[in-house]
């Protein structure tokens, strides 16, 4: 049976990433027939009552987990964060307007560049680029111009391995956040944000669905801008909101998995429990760095370390290469750093069990003793 | 076990629609671990060797099935046909240019309207709207202006239930086809088309992935137009082609299912075998109409009947309502006509077995005897 193949395999992939085994088991069991109806979710009409229920489960699950207030809508779109990089400015920056972007890594740069690529004015609200993105700025460093349509941040930076740990900003303009790689990893005050978006494939589901949480009273404005700009229908948030994410056929099976993952996360105790677990996992890995006497060199400053993606280098490139090879041979998968930066990256999203991090910690300590 | 729930259930949904049971069984079996690797396809990196293999299987499967020549690329995108409605004109109609649209039903109208919505000039190349879309035009009726960037057709019209049965046109301009609802249902000469697109959720997979087959030598031009027009990166075909559909994270699991469905279709004997099977199924249902002495009234003219979606009315609305109720109670699911037109629609895509149509035929004959 294929479940046995999973023994001794630890999925540290940066995304698409590990899903909870309980969710995979449920998906497997229900694959032939959802709720006794005789149809697989894979072949189910998006206009059926069964899908109405699935989508409501996914929405309500996220609402309960994140404490999403009634002021905000929950949408399921396609195209990933990459399409959001264009949709956010195209829908919310009015003609002649601008928006501010906080640059903390590659993905926030891409968001910023995409706003410019589609012909809109993006300004740098803050940047730690000169510091090699090794730290997250303080809110006091973030510029905030009254004529900006919004300020955009990336709450977790998967490539460099940094994360905002001091949210709750007080800005004079709307705040937009790309939470693709840390949504649902800890409690968050959704009411602080006008719009949150996240590709599902790290913490809340498989690749193929993008969650958008948006303040409803911001959508009227977006509708006007989108119309004047002659945006494609599929790029208009207001259209998706009006049609409850079913203007066209949604990615039914991916939304179903979001429902299962959200329900699993609630069963684990919700986001406070997730935060405690994620902190425990991060402590295991960063502990290996801090106790290695410089053998494992963390990439980012301690106060900006990501609980989702821990990044480090080993000074000798040959030893670093051997680390990755040995780790792979021992079943620790997905540890190579992003191709743009190299090194080692330990991605430990919600579904990565504490045990996997404990095993990796053992390996790291052992490897260091053998190679220092 | 959930497989038993499927006994006596006949999935005639218009899309998302039935998948082959052999494919569902394979997907279930492999769900915990793909190819012995210990990871589910649902949690697999799109940069992994395993996914390289999956995407190649999907591409090669479609290439073999459709006989796609080397001149054409096969892309896997998101956003469904609805996003293609915008991408096609935005990438291929140059500034000041136009394109021709053949109107044969709701979806072709939507494609036409979307070109205008995004500010481009769309002309009607032919239309059977005045005939209530009850027939497909002949190619001799299709206008073809030399300065049009392309002519766009919808090969199968899911809502009204009509289909082009005389393809192989000779036009002076590129031909673009929305084949969402009949791709792979019969052999087609891909070399006749500059671009073919199809949401996967009828004949080739689940909802959440869109197949685009495009002539490579048409992409350079698209790249120039997209750049000048400042299109979002995700709306540029040239970007997706250069990145082999991995500019951003693709819908990994949906592409995997396209691979399985393509391989299943090849095992059935390919598209000639599919055509024979689809003709047999269509003959069963249309036979019920033609032998009903007017009890079942076909919506479209016989020569334009779709082999994918057979539509008909029953003169007495109460009897029609009872037909749908009784059918549903007997396990025939998804037969209600589209909410915009009403009536009955029998969607019988590739994965619907002949047996399902034979059972429905029995029911139709029996119902008619009881209610005429």
């Amino acid at each position: 049976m294929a479940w046995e193949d999973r023994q001794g395999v630890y999925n540290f992939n940066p995304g698409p990433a590990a899903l909870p085994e309980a969710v995979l088991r449920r998906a497997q069991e229900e694959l032939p027939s959802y709720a006794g109806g005789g149809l697989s979710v894979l072949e189910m009409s998006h206009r059926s009552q069964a899908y109405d229920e699935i989508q409501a489960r996914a929405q309500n699950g996220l609402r309960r987990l994140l404490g999403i207030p009634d002021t905000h809508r929950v949408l399921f779109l396609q195209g990933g964060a990459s399409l959001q990089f264009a949709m956010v400015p195209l829908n919310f920056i009015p003609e002649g307007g601008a928006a501010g972007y906080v640059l903390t890594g590659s993905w926030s740069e891409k968001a910023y560049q995409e706003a410019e690529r589609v012909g809109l004015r993006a300004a740098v609200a803050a940047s730690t680029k000169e510091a090699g993105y090794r730290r997250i700025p303080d809110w006091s460093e973030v510029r905030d111009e009254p004529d900006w349509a919004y300020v955009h941040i990336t709450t977790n930076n998967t490539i460099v391995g940094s994360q905002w740990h001091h949210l709750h900003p007080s800005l004079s303009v709307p705040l937009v956040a790309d939470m693709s790689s840390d949504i649902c990893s800890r409690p968050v005050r959704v009411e602080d944000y006008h719009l949150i978006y996240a590709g599902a494939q790290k913490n809340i589901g498989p690749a193929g669905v993008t969650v958008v949480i948006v303040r409803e009273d911001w959508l009227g404005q977006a509708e006007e801008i989108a119309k004047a700009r002659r945006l494609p229908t599929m790029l208009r948030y207001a259209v998706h909101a009006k049609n409850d994410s079913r203007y066209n056929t949604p990615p039914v099976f991916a939304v179903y998995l979001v429902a299962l993952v959200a329900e699993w996360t609630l069963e684990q105790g919700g986001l406070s429990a997730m935060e405690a677990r994620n902190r425990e996992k991060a402590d295991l890995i960063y502990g290996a760095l801090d106790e290695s006497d410089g053998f494992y060199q963390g990439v980012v400053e301690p106060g900006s370390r990501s609980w989702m993606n821990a990044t480090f280098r080993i000074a000798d490139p040959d030893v670093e290469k051997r680390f990755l090879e040995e780790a792979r041979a021992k079943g620790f998968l997905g540890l190579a750093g992003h191709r743009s930066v190299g090194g080692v990256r330990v991605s430990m999203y919600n579904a990565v069990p504490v045990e996997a991090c404990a095993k990796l910690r053992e390996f790291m300590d052992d490897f260091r003793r053998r190679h220092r």
Side-chain angles (χ1 to χ4, degrees), chain A:
Chain A
M1 193 49 190
W3 288 103
E4 286 158 19
D5 297 347
R6 299 173 65 88
Q7 290 293 326
V9 172
Y10 303 100
N11 187 353
F12 290 105
N13 272 307
L19 287 169
E21 188 161 311
V23 165
L24 293 174
R25 286 187 184 272
R26 178 84 179 268
Q28 186 190 38
E29 191 187 313
E30 290 185 336
L31 193 130
S33 165
Y34 176 77
L39 297 186
S40 174
V41 178
L42 288 162
E43 48 177 6
M44 180 182 280
S45 170
H46 61 297
R47 307 274 176 208
S48 64
Q49 210 181 320
Y51 182 71
D52 288 347
E53 181 192 308
I54 286 169
Q55 187 172 296
R57 281 172 61 189
Q59 282 168 334
N60 294 336
L62 291 174
R63 282 196 178 279
R64 283 182 58 199
L65 269 181
L66 287 156
I68 301 172
D70 288 345
T71 47
H72 287 61
R73 297 288 301 272
V74 179
L75 309 178
F76 299 109
L77 309 184
Q78 294 185 61
S82 295
L83 188 56
Q84 295 302 308
F85 294 166
M87 281 176 67
V88 167
L90 285 168
N91 279 269
F92 295 110
I93 302 182
E95 226 37 49
Y101 282 76
V102 181
L103 305 186
T104 51
S106 299
W107 293 107
S108 55
E109 271 190 52
K110 286 199 183 194
Y112 167 75
Q113 287 159 358
E114 187 72 7
E116 298 212 307
R117 184 169 297 118
V118 299
L120 295 167
R121 202 151 56 81
V124 176
S127 172
T128 54
K129 187 168 188 171
E130 289 197 1
Y133 290 134
R134 292 176 55 252
R135 67 178 188 88
I136 294 289
D138 194 84
W139 280 106
S140 64
E141 299 168 58
V142 178
R143 266 210 302 155
D144 171 14
E145 303 286 340
D147 66 330
W148 286 351
Y150 56 84
V151 165
H152 177 282
I153 63 169
T154 311
T155 50
N156 183 70
N157 302 280
T158 44
I159 294 179
V160 73
S162 70
Q163 188 176 19
W164 290 78
H165 291 294
H166 43 292
L167 292 167
H168 311 320
S170 61
L171 294 175
S172 65
V173 301
L175 183 60
V176 171
D178 176 359
M179 293 196 185
S180 293
S181 55
D182 69 350
I183 192 168
C184 292
S185 69
R186 56 183 175 183
V188 64
R189 288 188 4 171
V190 171
E191 55 270 38
D192 289 345
Y193 300 84
H194 272 55
L195 191 147
I196 292 168
Y197 62 89
Q201 67 268 16
K202 321 274 190 185
N203 273 333
I204 50 176
V209 62
T210 314
V211 172
V212 171
I213 300 164
V214 58
R215 251 177 73 161
E216 186 147 32
D217 65 5
W218 213 28
L219 289 173
Q221 191 174 331
E223 191 172 8
E224 291 306 309
I225 293 174
K227 203 173 162 187
R229 202 162 268 153
R230 310 197 74 123
L231 287 191
T233 309
M234 288 289 291
L235 265 51
R236 302 182 183 200
Y237 290 110
V239 168
H240 293 296
K242 268 186 197 159
N243 290 278
D244 195 17
S245 303
R246 276 172 286 186
Y247 169 74
N248 75 331
T249 312
V252 173
F253 193 75
V255 173
Y256 159 72
L257 278 160
V258 170
L260 294 189
V261 173
E263 289 163 5
W264 173 84
T265 312
L266 285 163
E267 283 161 20
Q268 302 300 303
L271 299 193
S272 300
M274 276 297 132
E275 177 171 27
R277 241 178 79 149
N278 286 326
R279 188 190 292 265
E280 188 184 349
K281 292 186 290 179
D283 284 349
L284 280 165
I285 304 305
Y286 288 117
L289 273 52
D290 293 339
E291 293 165 26
S292 76
D293 209 9
F295 181 78
Y296 298 120
Q297 298 163 356
V299 173
V300 302
E301 292 184 3
S304 299
R305 282 172 171 174
S306 166
W307 298 354
M308 299 282 101
N309 315 91
T311 51
F312 57 88
R313 308 294 311 237
I314 298 172
D316 182 334
D318 289 336
V319 178
E320 189 174 271
K321 195 166 162 243
R322 184 171 306 172
F323 178 92
L324 290 169
E325 283 163 3
E326 271 194 39
R328 192 174 171 86
K330 284 185 188 303
F332 301 110
L333 305 186
L335 291 180
H338 189 269
R339 58 215 151 94
S340 64
V341 294
V344 183
R345 170 169 57 174
V346 182
S347 298
M348 40 195 172
Y349 302 114
N350 283 0
V352 172
V354 175
E355 183 223 352
C357 292
K359 289 271 184 202
L360 180 59
R361 168 66 183 268
E362 269 176 46
F363 168 73
M364 286 174 72
D365 288 346
D366 177 61
F367 184 90
R368 171 176 55 84
R369 277 189 290 269
R370 287 186 286 111
H371 289 90
R372 79 160 319 132

